[in-house]
Amino acid sequence: MTGKTEPNVDFEEEENSLNDFGVMMLVLEIILVALLWVFAKDSIVNPTDGLVSQRYPAYQDVNVMMLVGFAFLMTFIRSYAWSSIAYTFFLNAFIVQIYILLYAFWDKVWNGGWNTTITISVDITTLIGCSYAVASVLVAAGGVIGRCGPKDLLIIMIFQIIGYSLNERIVFTSIGMIDGGCSSTIHTYGAYYGLAVCVVLSKKAKPITNIKISYISNIFAFIGTLFLWIYYPSFNYGLLAQNSFEQNLIVVNTVLSLTGSVLGTYIVSALGFGRGLEMENILNATISGGVVMGAPCSFIYRPGVALFIGFSTGIISTLCFHHLTPKLLDCIGLYDTCGIHNLHGIPGVLGGLWSAVIVAFYNTGFDTEIAAMYSNGNFLFPTTNSFLKQGGLQVAGTFCSMAMAILFGILGGLVTSFFYKEKPKYFYLDTEYFENAHFREIYKGDSGENNYLNQKNAKN
Amino acid sequence: MTGKTEPNVDFEEEENSLNDFGVMMLVLEIILVALLWVFAKDSIVNPTDGLVSQRYPAYQDVNVMMLVGFAFLMTFIRSYAWSSIAYTFFLNAFIVQIYILLYAFWDKVWNGGWNTTITISVDITTLIGCSYAVASVLVAAGGVIGRCGPKDLLIIMIFQIIGYSLNERIVFTSIGMIDGGCSSTIHTYGAYYGLAVCVVLSKKAKPITNIKISYISNIFAFIGTLFLWIYYPSFNYGLLAQNSFEQNLIVVNTVLSLTGSVLGTYIVSALGFGRGLEMENILNATISGGVVMGAPCSFIYRPGVALFIGFSTGIISTLCFHHLTPKLLDCIGLYDTCGIHNLHGIPGVLGGLWSAVIVAFYNTGFDTEIAAMYSNGNFLFPTTNSFLKQGGLQVAGTFCSMAMAILFGILGGLVTSFFYKEKPKYFYLDTEYFENAHFREIYKGDSGENNYLNQKNAKN
Amino acid sequence: MTGKTEPNVDFEEEENSLNDFGVMMLVLEIILVALLWVFAKDSIVNPTDGLVSQRYPAYQDVNVMMLVGFAFLMTFIRSYAWSSIAYTFFLNAFIVQIYILLYAFWDKVWNGGWNTTITISVDITTLIGCSYAVASVLVAAGGVIGRCGPKDLLIIMIFQIIGYSLNERIVFTSIGMIDGGCSSTIHTYGAYYGLAVCVVLSKKAKPITNIKISYISNIFAFIGTLFLWIYYPSFNYGLLAQNSFEQNLIVVNTVLSLTGSVLGTYIVSALGFGRGLEMENILNATISGGVVMGAPCSFIYRPGVALFIGFSTGIISTLCFHHLTPKLLDCIGLYDTCGIHNLHGIPGVLGGLWSAVIVAFYNTGFDTEIAAMYSNGNFLFPTTNSFLKQGGLQVAGTFCSMAMAILFGILGGLVTSFFYKEKPKYFYLDTEYFENAHFREIYKGDSGENNYLNQKNAKN
């Protein structure tokens, strides 16, 4: 302990909070089991349907991103690794179940059919949709993680998923945005929802300790980063690519964009800050090339364009991690644990805007060849709208997602805030809710020197 | 070392034990190479056979479960991570080779053909079968790991694999159980084989130290848990699904069951024990939803039913980890390192019984629609037997596996016991067989406070 | 710090070195973006092309090997894990981009067509080729890692990739070697390139400290080993298998060979050294069965032969790790950080030679059955040459790769040496280029006892 005082966690009180979580979750789970039992059926897939079989590997890639990628990316917090992984695991399981029902609910609202027998058909494609919903939820969780217990997370995520499933309908069905990798509905919505909750909670959940990293915690975090980076192409094509042409297009563009964001990040990190490469950037901003390629990935047919977009986004994201995060903390008291604004918020919005610019550009007739090729309507490309109008819809979908996120985020934040137990809290500590976590080792080397925010504040 | 005494391992003696292992393994390997050289050929697969190509991703998923999943799940023991991974790695390689031969041997015993030229044909499907055998072996290894050296493990696993390959024939060919994910032959057989060995060895391999965990060792273990959880659907459909219908059915049911067991585990952990969430449960019981779905996964066509089964199994498994393991230790001196009884034994038996109940239930004519759909005989469903009779066979296969496991376990345990070197041993320590493992760090923080069994015994 | 002195890293100086790297990389990246923008297009893949879709899972497996496998395999150095992973990540992104252009350049040199409009078509198959180039680069990096900063690595890798893309053309197009898993162009070329660079740099980059490992660093390294081992079959068939027959053949042979090298490694480690199992061998030599199977994997149709080759290679590789590495250090001052000579160099050459022996053996008419089967020309097998001549070409391709490697290695080494900053250096330390890496923990337990080279030198 080297003379440090171990935070004196009162397990009696925590027990109450865990009890609340357990009871809420038990009631919810009984309802979910009952509803799924009554309404859901496994799909009768045609035995020769090749698409389902081809989608399964993509589904598994996306699952690895959710559970290994997101979970380990958040283990960079030295003393909060157990919670980061355990809450990711739990949220994934919960969201898969509830989203199946919410998706079907909004489908009925949009398409009618309440008077017939309701049957929710579940197949592998449905499950990919569930994992996308999980992605959005985990993006938001990255903002609040470490300052909210499991009960708070549960409340936050229920509001999030309701808004997500509604926004998805509005953006894709009503507006008609084309967004294969969901720059708008997953990243923009997820990030701004999480940030809105953070702002609302900022008074009550004000950490008195800062985030501490360790040498080993950053190695664990690399596991998350690498799996997110590797499988990102599967994420962008997983749900929407219907054939080999689309799959290939999306994969190539996403890979090139990702390599661009890696180089953008390293270059800025090497040139920009004068104190050596920064792990925080390398762990996060390197993935922004995948986020930004969500919407435009199915429109681009020049790898160089994809590479340029990824490269510039990597630069922007790295600069935001370095300069914007400390400013937002100073100005509006915004604690953003994992920097979701820099990795998902800004790249998500950029992705929507890039997709608008690129679609609109086809209006110039520059690439009649490619436009003609798309015209059979099989591909992810505007066919019923003019290019210019579709460009407008891409912008509309992006800002609709942002608006819905802020709206639902304030709502979710207020309700969470109402039930949030205000008290002097030791944030970012596993010892709060985990038995056996009273280890000396998680305080080891607790010299205060390895501290993101302190260093940044000192520089600015 | 902070005043602790480092266990005084006598490398001279260990050298002998390693020499025994090396010589045994060398002789065995020469025999295996010779037999495979003479009898085995690579399959001449039809170049347009799509099934082989579709099975390859599932094969790789199963491989990740075996080598990353099982290996890292066992790294939770602070001072035994090297051994856990290294022995898993070695057992995997050994079992793949020997099972190819044993599978062919029992095939000849059942189907005859000794007088013709014997040719063992090896393709990707064969390799999936090998990985299933590995799974059963690693389940059993989870019970004895830490108290047996490599030579002991080798003896234990030779008896196990002989019994496994025989039991597989009896259950699937003679009895006619339908068990895609092998709740019976892998999990029930593996767990009770391992437990029988543990009981036989309990006098000689009696640990004087308890299992110690660390903050970081549990993060490593999470890598194992997550990959096992993610790829479980591939395990359940890998060998038997012949088409997209079956693949989809098994995947959807397994995923829903797995999400159920996660929530069951968290709810019990939050409500039940009053001292915070327990990593031991979260690392293990969350996977029980996949184990229990092994046998019924191809019969269920309502996701809600799969979810309910997974949810209830998660609850049962968590309660067993908390209450049953300490009781079995007290009553019959059963050391079960990884709690295989709670994760594989009981969920495996439950899986067999659930499959019986569900098949028998179709006898009520409740779901004529689904029964009719299956009647073309393409799917994993009883077609030659009545539903009631098939239900009986499911029960028979389950208990046959348990009986064979105990029989072979006692046999394997007795032989191992005969060659086991009795002595005051420091269990659960990598330093026993690994050069370079004399690190101070693996004894660090050795304060005795982070100790599963101590805490549980104190509570009961 | 327990009385140790922290290396006094002068960040002012490092800043200059990082600035050089940043500026070089920025200029290069602008050129790459421009060239790809102008010349490259996404392939117009036939929407029903099944091969592209089937290759995607193999591509992802290979990616996991590159980014998780290679990166984590190198984390065994206790104080260099951040750099190992971060440089692997960066090199991967850079090589993917530059190789697309170099591949197209040599294609024009060989096949002409400079006077028509140049269009580089990029699809998933192209990306697999890029990942193979990355593999070769990372093999070489394994030799120099820890003694070169990012700027040096960049220079080394630019020469490597030019030589690689040229050698690939010579070996496959001009010579006509058949080498699915690239024993020659990736492993032999990569290893001897790296070793040549090491020798040239050996005077300037002479470590005064030795490589130190830790208990936990070897657990991280196991993540790398296991993913490399698991996905090796995908690597060997990824680019060249055109149908299920070839895929199955390559997978079966590679898996059997890999299991053989695991057992060979364990047997030698248990019998050979008398001090317990050695992690260095288990982490490395176990994979040599995949390396050696690169060239012969498409010619063998007896699993026993593949098993024997893997088994013997595992034994040879382990013996080299134990006996050859210290000798080479003593005799020619060759520092080989990861032992690439033992894992890639020697097994790569053996793979080429085995493929020659096996192909030539068909000349005896021993297996007319299998030779006839291949005669339709669909498979990876010599059809235009006699078996004996093809055997000669296999040898020629192997030694061509070695010669090209040494040639380009000396060239790359000399240029790197020219820009290399000579100074008393603390090698194998992340603190050199990473902000936040001034952690006490990476010096912890710095007692000098856990030291590969020291121990080996002491023994010899």
Side-chain angles (χ1 to χ4, degrees):
Chain A
M1 224 65 106
T2 63
K4 288 247 170 273
T5 311
E6 187 170 351
N8 184 15
V9 179
D10 182 352
F11 249 102
E12 204 60 48
E13 189 181 354
E14 297 315 328
E15 194 183 335
N16 293 337
S17 177
L18 265 180
N19 274 347
D20 291 355
F21 163 71
V23 171
M24 272 179 68
M25 201 57 246
L26 180 61
V27 172
L28 268 171
E29 184 62 6
I30 291 170
I31 296 171
L32 287 171
V33 171
L35 288 174
L36 281 167
W37 188 303
V38 173
F39 292 118
K41 288 195 180 180
D42 289 70
S43 276
I44 308 300
V45 170
N46 188 327
T48 59
D49 183 343
L51 191 58
V52 163
S53 292
Q54 267 183 33
R55 276 185 171 162
Y56 181 70
Y59 169 61
Q60 288 298 42
D61 293 354
V62 172
N63 254 337
V64 172
M65 293 173 73
M66 296 305 110
L67 284 154
V68 177
F70 272 102
F72 274 85
L73 187 57
M74 295 194 283
T75 58
F76 77 96
I77 313 173
R78 184 174 72 204
S79 51
Y80 207 66
W82 288 14
S83 301
S84 297
I85 307 174
Y87 296 159
T88 300
F89 198 12
F90 152 73
L91 286 173
N92 180 79
F94 172 61
I95 296 296
V96 166
Q97 295 172 24
I98 200 170
Y99 177 77
I100 292 174
L101 294 165
L102 283 170
Y103 178 86
F105 173 78
W106 295 116
D107 186 57
K108 285 284 169 196
V109 170
W110 251 255
N111 301 323
W114 291 102
N115 49 350
T116 63
T117 312
I118 293 168
T119 307
I120 304 170
S121 194
V122 184
D123 59 16
I124 291 173
T125 310
T126 315
L127 295 177
I128 299 180
C130 294
S131 288
Y132 280 32
V134 171
S136 181
V137 160
L138 294 179
V139 167
V144 300
I145 200 88
R147 300 190 303 283
C148 288
K151 185 200 67 186
D152 309 317
L153 279 176
L154 189 59
I155 300 170
I156 292 169
M157 295 314 152
I158 288 170
F159 280 90
Q160 151 121 20
I161 193 65
I162 294 171
Y164 170 82
S165 52
L166 171 60
N167 181 54
E168 197 184 37
R169 282 283 156 188
I170 296 172
V171 169
F172 293 137
T173 310
S174 299
I175 294 178
M177 186 182 187
I178 296 171
D179 187 1
C182 302
S183 288
S184 61
T185 55
I186 292 177
H187 297 288
T188 305
Y189 176 84
Y192 287 98
Y193 178 89
L195 295 168
V197 170
C198 287
V199 169
V200 174
L201 282 176
S202 64
K203 284 272 161 48
K204 292 196 170 182
K206 195 173 170 63
I208 54 170
T209 52
N210 272 317
I211 296 170
K212 306 239 175 68
I213 60 171
S214 79
Y215 188 67
I216 284 169
S217 76
N218 269 0
I219 304 175
F220 278 120
F222 242 134
I223 298 174
T225 299
L226 292 177
F227 276 107
L228 284 171
W229 197 89
I230 292 167
Y231 289 137
Y232 220 112
S234 299
F235 189 88
N236 278 354
Y237 89 77
L239 196 52
L240 286 189
Q242 302 279 336
N243 55 50
S244 295
F245 169 80
E246 293 173 3
Q247 183 189 17
N248 183 70
L249 196 71
I250 294 174
V251 168
V252 168
N253 289 332
T254 306
V255 168
L256 267 292
S257 178
L258 283 164
T259 64
S261 61
V262 170
L263 294 183
T265 304
Y266 277 72
I267 290 169
V268 174
S269 205
L271 288 179
F273 313 131
R275 293 192 56 195
L277 298 168
E278 283 200 359
M279 280 294 272
E280 191 186 15
N281 305 322
I282 292 174
L283 289 172
N284 290 284
T286 48
I287 315 171
S288 62
V291 175
V292 77
M293 205 38 59
C297 63
S298 61
F299 302 150
I300 297 170
Y301 74 108
R302 284 186 172 273
V305 176
L307 177 57
F308 171 74
I309 293 175
F311 180 54
S312 57
T313 308
I315 293 172
I316 293 167
S317 178
T318 310
L319 291 172
C320 288
F321 267 101
H322 204 73
H323 295 297
L324 190 59
T325 300
K327 287 225 172 80
L328 286 174
L329 178 57
D330 284 350
C331 299
I332 60 170
L334 177 66
Y335 292 97
D336 177 0
T337 313
C338 298
I340 59 171
H341 191 222
N342 315 313
L343 175 51
H344 300 281
I346 287 168
V349 172
L350 285 175
L353 298 184
W354 273 115
S355 76
V357 169
I358 288 163
V359 167
F361 190 68
Y362 285 106
N363 203 49
T364 63
F366 173 72
D367 265 316
T368 48
E369 175 202 7
I370 202 78
M373 194 190 64
Y374 274 108
S375 68
N376 64 11
N378 281 327
F379 305 133
L380 299 174
F381 205 78
T383 50
T384 52
N385 298 313
S386 78
F387 292 121
L388 269 186
K389 188 183 167 197
Q390 183 66 39
L393 300 184
Q394 301 294 108
V395 176
T398 302
F399 287 106
C400 168
S401 298
M402 196 192 283
M404 288 285 287
I406 293 169
L407 190 74
F408 274 83
I410 292 171
L411 197 64
L414 287 175
V415 175
T416 311
S417 183
F418 184 77
F419 293 104
Y420 193 85
K421 283 195 186 154
E422 213 168 347
K423 57 185 174 174
K425 260 194 181 243
Y426 293 89
F427 288 97
Y428 311 120
L429 276 185
D430 278 330
T431 43
E432 198 177 349
Y433 290 109
F434 276 89
E435 184 169 16
N436 287 318
H438 300 273
F439 294 163
R440 296 180 176 196
E441 61 205 285
I442 71 176
Y443 306 104
K444 267 184 332 203
D446 195 344
S447 59
E449 71 198 302
N450 315 316
N451 188 313
Y452 283 158
L453 291 172
N454 271 352
Q455 289 174 352
K456 281 181 190 161
N457 286 334
K459 268 178 259 169
N460 287 300
Chain B
M1 224 64 104
T2 64
K4 287 250 170 271
T5 311
E6 188 170 351
N8 184 16
V9 179
D10 183 352
F11 248 102
E12 204 59 47
E13 188 181 357
E14 298 314 329
E15 194 182 333
N16 293 336
S17 177
L18 265 179
N19 274 347
D20 291 354
F21 163 72
V23 171
M24 271 179 67
M25 201 57 246
L26 181 60
V27 173
L28 268 171
E29 185 62 6
I30 290 170
I31 296 171
L32 287 171
V33 171
L35 288 174
L36 281 166
W37 188 303
V38 173
F39 292 117
K41 288 195 178 179
D42 290 71
S43 277
I44 307 300
V45 169
N46 187 327
T48 59
D49 183 344
L51 190 58
V52 164
S53 293
Q54 266 183 34
R55 275 185 173 162
Y56 181 70
Y59 169 60
Q60 289 298 42
D61 293 354
V62 171
N63 255 336
V64 173
M65 292 174 74
M66 294 307 108
L67 284 153
V68 177
F70 272 101
F72 274 85
L73 187 57
M74 295 195 284
T75 57
F76 78 94
I77 312 175
R78 185 174 72 202
S79 51
Y80 207 68
W82 288 15
S83 301
S84 298
I85 306 174
Y87 297 159
T88 300
F89 199 10
F90 152 72
L91 287 173
N92 180 78
F94 171 61
I95 296 297
V96 166
Q97 296 173 22
I98 199 169
Y99 176 78
I100 293 175
L101 294 165
L102 283 171
Y103 177 85
F105 173 77
W106 294 117
D107 186 56
K108 285 284 171 197
V109 170
W110 250 255
N111 301 322
W114 291 101
N115 48 350
T116 64
T117 313
I118 293 169
T119 307
I120 304 170
S121 194
V122 184
D123 59 14
I124 291 173
T125 309
T126 315
L127 295 176
I128 299 180
C130 294
S131 288
Y132 280 33
V134 171
S136 181
V137 161
L138 293 179
V139 166
V144 300
I145 200 88
R147 299 190 304 282
C148 290
K151 185 199 67 184
D152 309 317
L153 279 177
L154 189 58
I155 300 171
I156 292 170
M157 295 314 152
I158 288 170
F159 281 90
Q160 150 122 20
I161 192 66
I162 294 171
Y164 171 82
S165 52
L166 171 60
N167 181 54
E168 199 184 35
R169 281 283 156 187
I170 296 173
V171 168
F172 293 137
T173 310
S174 300
I175 294 179
M177 186 182 186
I178 297 171
D179 187 0
C182 302
S183 288
S184 60
T185 56
I186 293 176
H187 297 288
T188 304
Y189 175 84
Y192 287 99
Y193 178 89
L195 295 169
V197 170
C198 287
V199 169
V200 174
L201 283 177
S202 64
K203 284 273 160 50
K204 292 196 171 183
K206 194 173 170 62
I208 55 170
T209 52
N210 272 318
I211 296 170
K212 306 241 175 65
I213 61 171
S214 79
Y215 188 67
I216 284 169
S217 75
N218 269 359
I219 304 175
F220 278 120
F222 242 134
I223 297 174
T225 299
L226 292 176
F227 276 108
L228 284 171
W229 198 90
I230 292 166
Y231 288 138
Y232 220 112
S234 300
F235 189 87
N236 279 353
Y237 90 76
L239 196 51
L240 285 189
Q242 302 280 337
N243 55 51
S244 294
F245 169 80
E246 293 172 5
Q247 183 189 17
N248 183 71
L249 195 70
I250 294 174
V251 168
V252 168
N253 289 333
T254 306
V255 169
L256 266 292
S257 179
L258 283 163
T259 63
S261 62
V262 170
L263 294 183
T265 303
Y266 277 72
I267 290 170
V268 173
S269 205
L271 288 180
F273 313 130
R275 294 191 57 195
L277 298 168
E278 285 200 358
M279 279 294 271
E280 192 187 14
N281 305 322
I282 292 174
L283 289 171
N284 289 284
T286 48
I287 315 170
S288 62
V291 175
V292 76
M293 205 39 59
C297 62
S298 61
F299 302 150
I300 298 171
Y301 74 108
R302 285 187 171 271
V305 175
L307 177 57
F308 172 74
I309 293 175
F311 180 53
S312 57
T313 309
I315 292 172
I316 292 168
S317 178
T318 311
L319 291 173
C320 288
F321 267 101
H322 203 72
H323 295 296
L324 190 59
T325 298
K327 286 226 172 77
L328 287 174
L329 179 56
D330 284 349
C331 299
I332 59 169
L334 177 68
Y335 291 96
D336 176 0
T337 313
C338 298
I340 58 172
H341 190 222
N342 316 312
L343 176 51
H344 300 281
I346 287 168
V349 172
L350 285 175
L353 299 183
W354 273 115
S355 76
V357 168
I358 289 163
V359 168
F361 191 69
Y362 285 106
N363 203 48
T364 62
F366 173 70
D367 264 315
T368 49
E369 177 202 5
I370 202 79
M373 195 188 66
Y374 274 107
S375 67
N376 64 11
N378 281 326
F379 305 133
L380 299 173
F381 205 77
T383 50
T384 53
N385 297 314
S386 78
F387 292 122
L388 267 185
K389 187 181 166 199
Q390 184 67 39
L393 300 182
Q394 302 293 109
V395 176
T398 302
F399 287 105
C400 168
S401 299
M402 195 192 282
M404 289 284 287
I406 294 170
L407 190 73
F408 274 83
I410 291 172
L411 197 64
L414 287 174
V415 176
T416 311
S417 183
F418 183 77
F419 293 104
Y420 193 86
K421 285 196 185 151
E422 214 168 345
K423 56 184 174 178
K425 259 194 181 239
Y426 294 89
F427 289 97
Y428 311 120
L429 276 185
D430 278 330
T431 44
E432 198 177 349
Y433 290 107
F434 276 90
E435 185 169 16
N436 287 318
H438 301 272
F439 295 162
R440 296 178 177 198
E441 59 205 285
I442 71 176
Y443 307 103
K444 266 183 335 202
D446 195 343
S447 58
E449 71 199 303
N450 314 316
N451 187 313
Y452 283 159
L453 291 173
N454 272 353
Q455 289 173 353
K456 279 181 190 161
N457 287 334
K459 267 179 256 166
N460 288 301
Chain C
M1 225 64 103
T2 63
K4 288 248 171 272
T5 311
E6 187 169 351
N8 184 15
V9 179
D10 182 352
F11 249 104
E12 205 58 50
E13 189 181 353
E14 299 314 327
E15 194 183 334
N16 293 337
S17 176
L18 265 180
N19 274 346
D20 291 354
F21 163 72
V23 171
M24 273 180 66
M25 201 57 246
L26 180 61
V27 173
L28 268 171
E29 184 62 6
I30 290 169
I31 296 170
L32 287 171
V33 170
L35 288 174
L36 281 166
W37 188 303
V38 174
F39 293 117
K41 288 196 179 180
D42 289 70
S43 277
I44 308 300
V45 170
N46 186 328
T48 60
D49 183 344
L51 192 56
V52 164
S53 293
Q54 266 182 32
R55 275 185 172 161
Y56 181 70
Y59 169 61
Q60 289 297 43
D61 292 354
V62 172
N63 255 336
V64 172
M65 291 174 74
M66 295 306 109
L67 285 153
V68 177
F70 273 102
F72 274 85
L73 187 57
M74 295 195 284
T75 58
F76 78 96
I77 313 173
R78 184 173 73 201
S79 51
Y80 207 67
W82 288 15
S83 301
S84 297
I85 307 174
Y87 296 159
T88 300
F89 199 11
F90 152 73
L91 287 173
N92 180 80
F94 172 61
I95 296 296
V96 166
Q97 296 172 23
I98 200 170
Y99 177 78
I100 292 174
L101 294 164
L102 282 170
Y103 177 86
F105 173 78
W106 295 117
D107 186 56
K108 285 284 170 198
V109 171
W110 250 255
N111 300 323
W114 291 102
N115 50 351
T116 63
T117 312
I118 293 169
T119 307
I120 304 170
S121 194
V122 184
D123 58 15
I124 290 172
T125 309
T126 316
L127 295 177
I128 299 180
C130 294
S131 287
Y132 280 33
V134 170
S136 181
V137 161
L138 294 179
V139 167
V144 301
I145 200 89
R147 299 190 304 283
C148 289
K151 186 200 66 187
D152 309 317
L153 279 177
L154 190 58
I155 300 170
I156 292 170
M157 295 314 151
I158 287 170
F159 281 89
Q160 150 120 21
I161 191 68
I162 293 171
Y164 170 83
S165 52
L166 171 60
N167 181 53
E168 198 184 36
R169 281 284 156 187
I170 296 173
V171 169
F172 293 137
T173 310
S174 300
I175 293 179
M177 186 183 187
I178 297 171
D179 187 1
C182 302
S183 288
S184 60
T185 55
I186 292 176
H187 297 289
T188 304
Y189 176 84
Y192 287 98
Y193 178 89
L195 295 169
V197 170
C198 287
V199 169
V200 174
L201 282 177
S202 64
K203 284 271 160 49
K204 293 198 170 179
K206 193 173 170 61
I208 54 170
T209 52
N210 272 317
I211 296 170
K212 305 242 175 66
I213 61 170
S214 79
Y215 188 67
I216 283 168
S217 76
N218 269 359
I219 304 175
F220 278 120
F222 242 134
I223 298 174
T225 299
L226 292 177
F227 276 108
L228 284 172
W229 197 90
I230 292 166
Y231 288 138
Y232 221 113
S234 301
F235 189 87
N236 279 353
Y237 90 77
L239 196 51
L240 285 190
Q242 301 280 337
N243 54 51
S244 295
F245 170 80
E246 294 172 4
Q247 183 189 18
N248 183 71
L249 196 69
I250 294 174
V251 167
V252 168
N253 289 332
T254 307
V255 168
L256 266 291
S257 179
L258 283 163
T259 63
S261 62
V262 170
L263 293 184
T265 304
Y266 278 72
I267 289 170
V268 174
S269 204
L271 288 180
F273 312 132
R275 293 191 57 196
L277 299 167
E278 283 200 359
M279 279 295 272
E280 193 187 15
N281 305 320
I282 292 174
L283 290 171
N284 290 284
T286 49
I287 314 170
S288 63
V291 175
V292 77
M293 205 38 58
C297 63
S298 61
F299 302 151
I300 298 172
Y301 73 109
R302 284 188 172 271
V305 176
L307 177 58
F308 172 74
I309 294 175
F311 181 54
S312 57
T313 309
I315 292 172
I316 293 167
S317 178
T318 310
L319 292 172
C320 288
F321 267 101
H322 203 72
H323 295 297
L324 190 59
T325 299
K327 287 224 173 78
L328 287 173
L329 178 56
D330 283 350
C331 298
I332 59 170
L334 177 67
Y335 291 96
D336 177 0
T337 313
C338 299
I340 58 172
H341 190 223
N342 315 313
L343 176 52
H344 300 280
I346 287 169
V349 172
L350 284 177
L353 299 184
W354 273 115
S355 76
V357 169
I358 288 164
V359 167
F361 190 69
Y362 284 106
N363 202 48
T364 62
F366 173 72
D367 265 315
T368 48
E369 177 202 6
I370 203 79
M373 195 187 67
Y374 274 107
S375 68
N376 65 11
N378 280 327
F379 306 133
L380 299 173
F381 205 77
T383 50
T384 54
N385 297 312
S386 78
F387 292 121
L388 269 185
K389 188 182 167 196
Q390 183 67 39
L393 300 183
Q394 302 294 110
V395 176
T398 301
F399 288 105
C400 169
S401 298
M402 197 192 281
M404 289 285 287
I406 293 169
L407 190 74
F408 274 83
I410 292 171
L411 197 65
L414 288 173
V415 176
T416 311
S417 184
F418 184 77
F419 293 105
Y420 192 85
K421 284 194 185 154
E422 214 168 345
K423 56 182 174 178
K425 256 193 183 242
Y426 294 89
F427 289 98
Y428 311 119
L429 276 185
D430 278 329
T431 44
E432 198 177 349
Y433 290 109
F434 276 90
E435 184 168 17
N436 286 318
H438 301 272
F439 294 163
R440 298 179 173 197
E441 60 205 284
I442 72 176
Y443 306 103
K444 265 184 334 203
D446 196 342
S447 58
E449 69 198 304
N450 315 316
N451 188 314
Y452 284 158
L453 292 173
N454 271 353
Q455 288 174 354
K456 281 180 191 161
N457 287 334
K459 266 177 260 168
N460 288 301

